[in-house]
């Protein structure tokens, strides 16, 4: 709905309110079991406005949420024998042009991942997630994996 019109301040406020309510509900379930997670919850609450900014920018760029926390598995024949390649994708978005995006949330600062960006071949997580998505039944005719990216929450 938000993609079809400019985002208004009320939309942003409503999104932030909904995310705060959802976060409180989700964190209440785990903070009662582990008080250490209360700090993570408070830190997350401080990040919500920037998260909403990122989400709205993503919408205006033509991307919408498709699925999340999706467990995928595909058989892979290797020279060492057959294996099952498995992964849990944090988020899958779709573009207005038919492309899909694999997003992997990182609860850290981007500068901690600079080495990963330089040595992607040493850390193929995103490539494997994209491969899993390409082999899954999520892709419809004409769709393709257009993007795989880390999303830093800090």
């Amino acid at each position: 709905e938000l993609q079809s019109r400019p985002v208004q301040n009320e939309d942003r406020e409503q999104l932030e309110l909904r995310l705060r309510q959802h976060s409180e509900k989700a964190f209440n379930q785990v903070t009662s079991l582990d008080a250490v997670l209360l700090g993570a919850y408070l830190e997350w609450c401080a990040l919500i406005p920037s998260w909403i900014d990122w989400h709205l920018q993503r919408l205006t760029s033509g991307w919408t949420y498709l699925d999340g926390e999706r467990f995928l598995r595909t058989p892979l024949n290797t020279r060492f024998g057959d294996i099952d390649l498995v992964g849990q994708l944090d988020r899958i978005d779709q573009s207005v042009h038919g492309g899909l995006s694999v997003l992997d949330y990182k609860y850290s600062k981007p500068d901690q991942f600079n080495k990963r960006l330089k040595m992607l071949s040493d850390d193929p997580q995103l490539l494997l997630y994209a491969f899993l998505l390409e082999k899954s039944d999520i892709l419809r005719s004409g769709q393709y994996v257009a993007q795989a990216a880390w999303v830093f929450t800090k």
Side-chain angles (χ1 to χ4, degrees), residues 109-127:
K109 295 179 181 176
D111 59 338
Q112 295 175 348
F113 280 81
N114 282 339
K115 288 182 184 176
R116 278 185 162 182
L117 296 174
K118 293 177 185 170
M119 299 297 292
L120 189 58
S121 62
D122 291 339
D123 187 0
Q125 179 186 20
L126 289 174
L127 298 173

Side-chain angles (χ1 to χ4, degrees), residues 98-110:
L100 296 182
S101 174
V102 176
L103 301 174
D104 187 53
Y105 298 139
K106 298 297 180 192
Y107 193 66
S108 61
K109 295 179 181 176

